Amino acid sequence: MEITINEKKIFSRQSSSFRLRSPSLNALRLQRIFDLFDKNSDGFITVEELSQALSRLGLDADISDLKPTIESYIKPDETGLRFEDFAALHKTLDESFFAGDCECDGSPESDLEEAFKVFDQDGDGFISAVELQNVLKKLGLPEAGEIEQVEKMIVSVDSNHDGRVDFFEFKNMMQTVIVPSS
């Protein structure tokens, strides 16, 4: 898939959440992404599943452009990417698209800031229930179904009780669910 410099910058900006710069968290994050993309839970991500997942995330790509690249990572006699293949594909794409383009320093703090920006869709510095619901829907998660359930998720981390999650609350929540590196 050919991408010009201008398209590369657009893709980079839209996809900053996929730049997983903290090595201690990469495997855990990638496994979660793999499991989300593997819709039928067969342990493989097919070209079609990956195309559908990217489309749900607003990264529409022509399947005919994706297919040769993805198939080059699929082992002979297999129907799709195993986790190890997916991780190798991710590493190659990360290096191809984001090497030298990252405005972050690779620290866990900058990773959290990037993740926060994915949820803070209007850029106001807060994650609302509607913003959280939108991201959960894009990922195809059932938790996005009812706003009341999403509001409960917000309340569970909203320490100042303003009905939304600021960066510090997000950071505290993430630090309680992330396994520290050894």
Side-chain angles (χ1 to χ4, degrees):
M1 174 168 47
E2 283 186 20
I3 295 184
T4 65
I5 298 297
N6 290 340
E7 289 174 11
K8 181 178 175 183
K9 289 187 183 300
I10 290 169
F11 185 77
S12 174
R13 187 172 36 247
Q14 289 176 340
S15 305
S16 63
S17 64
F18 292 112
R19 287 183 285 154
L20 307 178
R21 300 287 182 195
S22 177
S24 64
L25 300 178
N26 277 352
L28 177 63
R29 290 176 180 169
L30 279 176
Q31 185 66 56
R32 288 180 181 167
I33 292 167
F34 181 88
D35 292 343
L36 284 171
F37 288 6
D38 180 17
K39 281 300 189 186
N40 62 357
S41 300
D42 65 353
F44 294 97
I45 297 177
T46 64
V47 173
E48 292 77 21
E49 286 173 323
L50 187 55
S51 177
Q52 290 168 1
L54 293 174
S55 180
R56 283 193 308 272
L57 292 169
L59 301 170
D60 292 318
D62 187 338
I63 196 164
S64 63
D65 290 335
L66 290 175
K67 194 170 185 171
T69 302
I70 295 167
E71 286 180 343
S72 71
Y73 285 84
I74 297 173
K75 291 183 176 60
D77 302 321
E78 293 194 350
T79 59
L81 298 167
R82 290 190 177 276
F83 175 73
E84 298 77 25
D85 308 325
F86 179 70
L89 173 63
H90 172 268
K91 181 177 182 199
T92 300
L93 292 175
D94 187 50
E95 290 169 357
S96 297
F97 287 111
F98 303 117
D101 254 359
C102 184
E103 296 176 7
C104 63
D105 61 11
S107 70
E109 182 86 9
S110 66
D111 281 347
L112 287 173
E113 289 168 359
E114 286 185 59
F116 183 81
K117 289 175 187 175
V118 170
F119 291 93
D120 180 18
Q121 295 177 326
D122 63 8
D124 68 353
F126 300 96
I127 301 170
S128 69
V130 171
E131 289 172 319
L132 177 58
Q133 185 179 40
N134 288 338
V135 173
L136 295 174
K137 279 182 185 175
K138 286 179 182 178
L139 293 172
L141 297 174
E143 293 87 346
E146 295 184 23
I147 192 68
E148 293 80 15
Q149 188 173 2
V150 177
E151 287 169 345
K152 288 178 184 176
M153 295 167 81
I154 293 287
V155 167
S156 71
V157 297
D158 179 19
S159 59
N160 66 2
H161 308 291
D162 65 354
R164 53 196 185 165
V165 176
D166 61 36
F167 177 71
F168 297 104
E169 292 165 332
F170 179 80
K171 181 179 169 182
N172 289 337
M173 182 266 308
M174 292 299 286
Q175 289 174 336
T176 62
V177 296
I178 292 175
V179 178
S181 59
S182 48

